Amino acid sequence: MRCGQMLRLAVAVLGLAPLLVLGGCGSSSSDLQSVAHVVPAPAATVRTARCLEWQQMSREERASLVAGMRKFFGGMVDQPGMRGQVLAGAKAYRVIDGYCAPAYARYFRLYRIYGDAAAFEPAPGR
């Protein structure tokens, strides 16, 4: 397997930064450019978003992310007819804004913040 192919595989599978993988390769900048076209940077999702992205998101992106978390956490649970706990929209924003305010929180995952806070909300239908 050529070094360029290994680089693409490492970036695609492991999400490694190309410069970290190039250490053992005699690669050129053209390899980096081809990888950038093959593996686009992912947008922040419910699963991957961190406080750092939250701080940089537009109002519409934040609304979409909160709606995604509400849908995920409000899904079916193991009891028939029951759904998971969710936060009201305004409360979700207050909780996330509060936890993400300190500089040290930039790498906190938003789904953890939201999920932990939602766990203290009354269960729907109870």
Side-chain angles (χ1 to χ4, degrees):
M1 182 180 284
R2 289 189 10 231
C3 189
Q5 291 170 324
M6 289 179 3
L7 176 63
R8 284 185 200 87
L9 179 64
V11 172
V13 173
L14 303 174
L16 296 175
L19 294 177
L20 295 175
V21 179
L22 284 176
C25 297
S27 299
S28 67
S29 63
S30 64
D31 284 339
L32 284 177
Q33 291 170 349
S34 66
V35 170
H37 294 297
V38 173
V39 183
T45 66
V46 169
R47 190 169 48 90
T48 64
R50 301 169 298 169
C51 285
L52 183 66
E53 286 91 14
W54 180 261
Q55 299 294 349
Q56 298 169 351
M57 287 179 178
S58 68
R59 179 176 293 216
E60 294 79 21
E61 291 169 323
R62 286 181 177 188
S64 177
L65 187 61
V66 168
M69 284 192 242
R70 186 173 183 83
K71 182 177 179 182
F72 175 79
F73 284 100
M76 297 292 289
V77 295
D78 54 354
Q79 288 183 308
M82 298 299 292
R83 301 188 90 52
Q85 288 114 295
V86 296
L87 297 174
K91 187 169 188 176
Y93 282 89
R94 283 193 310 272
V95 167
I96 294 171
D97 281 340
Y99 272 93
C100 290
Y104 64 80
R106 68 180 148 233
Y107 296 111
F108 288 3
R109 296 284 182 185
L110 299 182
Y111 79 89
R112 295 292 310 263
I113 295 169
Y114 184 99
D116 289 350
F120 289 96
E121 290 295 303
R126 290 188 184 172

